[in-house]
Every structure is written in structure tokens, then in C-alpha cells.
Amino acid sequence: MTSYSLQQFIDETKQDDKKADYFQLETERVLEVNLDGTVWAKMGAMISYKGDIKFERERMAEHGLGKMFKKAFTGEGTSLMKAIGKGELYLADQGKKVTIFDLQGDTLTVNGNDLLAFEPSVEWDIRFMRKMAGMMAGGLFNVHLKGPGKVAITTHFEPLTLIVKPGEPVITDPNATVAWSGHLEPEFVMDVSMRTFIGRGSGESVQMKFEGEGFVIIQPFEETYATQDS
């Protein structure tokens, strides 16, 4: 259909009033949080809400001094906000596709820029990129999450999951890498031949190498990240 009456448009696009879960997809790009308490979300991700909900910016020492110093050191640009109250909260991030995971004691590592929201029951920590190559890849930082609890991540377009098997490493572009099994520890590798192909680099010279057993989630889009000046 290329045109609608106003009532047809409302009927097709209106919110779903059936409350199925704490986190549910209102559309594939909008997360609905049926809030009755607290949720942590990416700063600026709120697009609408109904009910009695208050928002607080993450305070410097909200999650302890350790996380505060890590965030300052990594130049991490994604701050968190805390939504408190009772109502329906709608979250989105630049039209990216939303995926919800229910972590049942599982662990997941997510690129910080792709983390949309998580329940307060989820334990989390910021992981450093130990090698200089990680900084050259655009100042990436990762958030390590451990259930129980719901976690919502975002991807540009449809995500693809690559299975990592022993003896069969998976190589990815850091800017297209969204998340991976929490127990995997990627190594940054430098492709010297590609780095020297055009000038100082071709843009594909820094890569992430995953070895062991698990999975890696990638997106068909190379996302760039702002770095903090030293």
C-alpha cells in the first residue's frame, strides 16, 4: 500500500498494548521497556515514554572508582543513564536494529557503542584493549556483561553470527564487530602488506582475531568511533 487513510496508518503503526515482557521489541528498531523499577540505558536513547519515569545521568562514581577510571582512561564516549519509575519507555539508537538477549548466567562482550540497555541485575565491567593496535582501530572499548538479566544491543542492518571453532580462528574488522562470547579474548593483529598498500594504511590493516570456541556477531557496516585526544 502506497497511501493510507489516517486510521489505517494509526492501526498499522500504533504501539502494542499487550505487555509481554520487561524488554520487548515494539518494532525491530525500537525497544520497549515495561519499567517498574530501574533500567540502565545508553545516554540519549530515550525517544518517548508514558508513565511516571525519571532520568538520571550516570554519576562519576556510580559503579565504583574502578569503572570510573577505566572510562576516563579509554576515552569512552558512551555514557549511561538510569531510568527510574513505572511506565513504558521507548529506546532507539540512530535507527539501528535492536536485538534482545536473556542472559541466564551467560557472559557476553559488547562493543560499547552497540550497547543499548540492560537490567540492573546484570553485572558489567569495561574491558581494555591491551595492544596499541586497538587504539589505532579507533579507540574501541568493550563492555563485559554477565547474567542473569536482559540485555539489548544494536546493529546496523541484519547481524551475522560467526562460529569460532578450535583451530579455525575468525578474523573481523573491528569497526564491524558488535559482540562475542564473553570467554573469548580477541587479539589485535596487523596486516602489514595491507597497511602499506596505499599510503599509511588501507583502512583494513588492523584486524581482530578470535581463537577458541564460541561466536562473534558482526554487522554489514563499518562503524567509526570518536577517540579522545591524549
Side-chain angles (χ1 to χ4, degrees), residues 49-110:
Y49 71 90
K50 295 193 298 183
D52 184 15
I53 301 176
K54 304 297 182 184
F55 299 91
E56 296 181 1
R57 185 183 180 92
E58 179 190 20
R59 296 188 296 273
M60 284 295 289
E62 179 86 22
H63 295 102
L65 291 177
K67 290 189 177 71
M68 181 184 73
F69 289 136
K70 286 182 182 180
K71 291 176 70 174
F73 181 81
T74 57
E76 175 262 303
T78 302
S79 297
L80 296 173
M81 65 179 181
K82 181 165 58 175
I84 307 169
K86 184 177 178 62
E88 296 148 36
L89 172 62
Y90 298 93
L91 303 173
D93 185 15
Q94 302 180 63
K96 295 164 68 176
K97 181 180 175 65
V98 180
T99 301
I100 302 170
F101 296 113
D102 185 4
L103 300 184
Q104 305 268 350
D106 310 298
T107 58
L108 181 72
T109 302
V110 182

Side-chain angles (χ1 to χ4, degrees), residues 35-50:
L35 187 62
D36 187 6
T38 302
V39 68
W40 285 99
K42 185 175 183 178
M43 177 66 69
M46 185 276 289
I47 57 172
S48 181
Y49 71 90
K50 295 193 298 183

Side-chain angles (χ1 to χ4, degrees), residues 2-220:
T2 57
S3 64
Y4 300 83
S5 70
L6 283 177
Q7 190 58 51
Q8 286 173 328
F9 181 79
I10 291 170
D11 290 341
E12 186 165 324
T13 62
K14 68 181 179 180
Q15 79 273 10
D16 182 2
D17 289 327
K18 297 177 182 178
K19 305 308 173 193
D21 210 343
Y22 176 71
F23 278 9
Q24 66 183 56
L25 293 180
E26 190 60 40
T27 73
E28 66 175 10
R29 302 180 189 279
V30 176
L31 174 70
E32 178 181 352
V33 182
N34 294 305
L35 187 62
D36 187 6
T38 302
V39 68
W40 285 99
K42 185 175 183 178
M43 177 66 69
M46 185 276 289
I47 57 172
S48 181
Y49 71 90
K50 295 193 298 183
D52 184 15
I53 301 176
K54 304 297 182 184
F55 299 91
E56 296 181 1
R57 185 183 180 92
E58 179 190 20
R59 296 188 296 273
M60 284 295 289
E62 179 86 22
H63 295 102
L65 291 177
K67 290 189 177 71
M68 181 184 73
F69 289 136
K70 286 182 182 180
K71 291 176 70 174
F73 181 81
T74 57
E76 175 262 303
T78 302
S79 297
L80 296 173
M81 65 179 181
K82 181 165 58 175
I84 307 169
K86 184 177 178 62
E88 296 148 36
L89 172 62
Y90 298 93
L91 303 173
D93 185 15
Q94 302 180 63
K96 295 164 68 176
K97 181 180 175 65
V98 180
T99 301
I100 302 170
F101 296 113
D102 185 4
L103 300 184
Q104 305 268 350
D106 310 298
T107 58
L108 181 72
T109 302
V110 182
N111 185 315
N113 198 54
D114 301 317
L115 181 60
L116 181 63
F118 57 92
E119 287 191 78
S121 60
V122 175
E123 298 179 18
W124 65 279
D125 194 14
I126 293 173
R127 294 289 174 91
F128 288 118
M129 291 300 186
R130 291 190 288 261
K131 293 192 176 182
M132 183 64 69
M135 298 173 65
M136 295 175 65
L140 295 178
F141 70 98
N142 304 311
V143 182
H144 184 78
L145 304 153
K146 181 179 180 181
K150 298 288 182 64
V151 173
I153 69 169
T154 58
T155 57
H156 286 279
F157 311 109
E158 298 294 330
L160 173 66
T161 300
L162 305 174
I163 304 303
V164 183
K165 300 178 181 179
E168 299 179 18
V170 170
I171 311 297
T172 67
D173 182 328
N175 295 324
T177 306
V178 176
W180 56 90
S181 308
H183 61 279
L184 292 180
E185 295 189 6
E187 177 184 359
F188 280 99
V189 295
M190 181 76 72
D191 189 320
V192 177
S193 61
M194 295 183 74
R195 181 172 181 266
T196 57
F197 181 64
I198 302 176
R200 297 179 62 185
S202 66
E204 307 290 339
S205 57
V206 178
Q207 303 161 356
M208 296 178 77
K209 182 178 181 180
F210 295 87
E211 293 186 284
E213 189 169 4
F215 63 86
V216 182
I217 302 172
I218 61 173
Q219 61 185 359

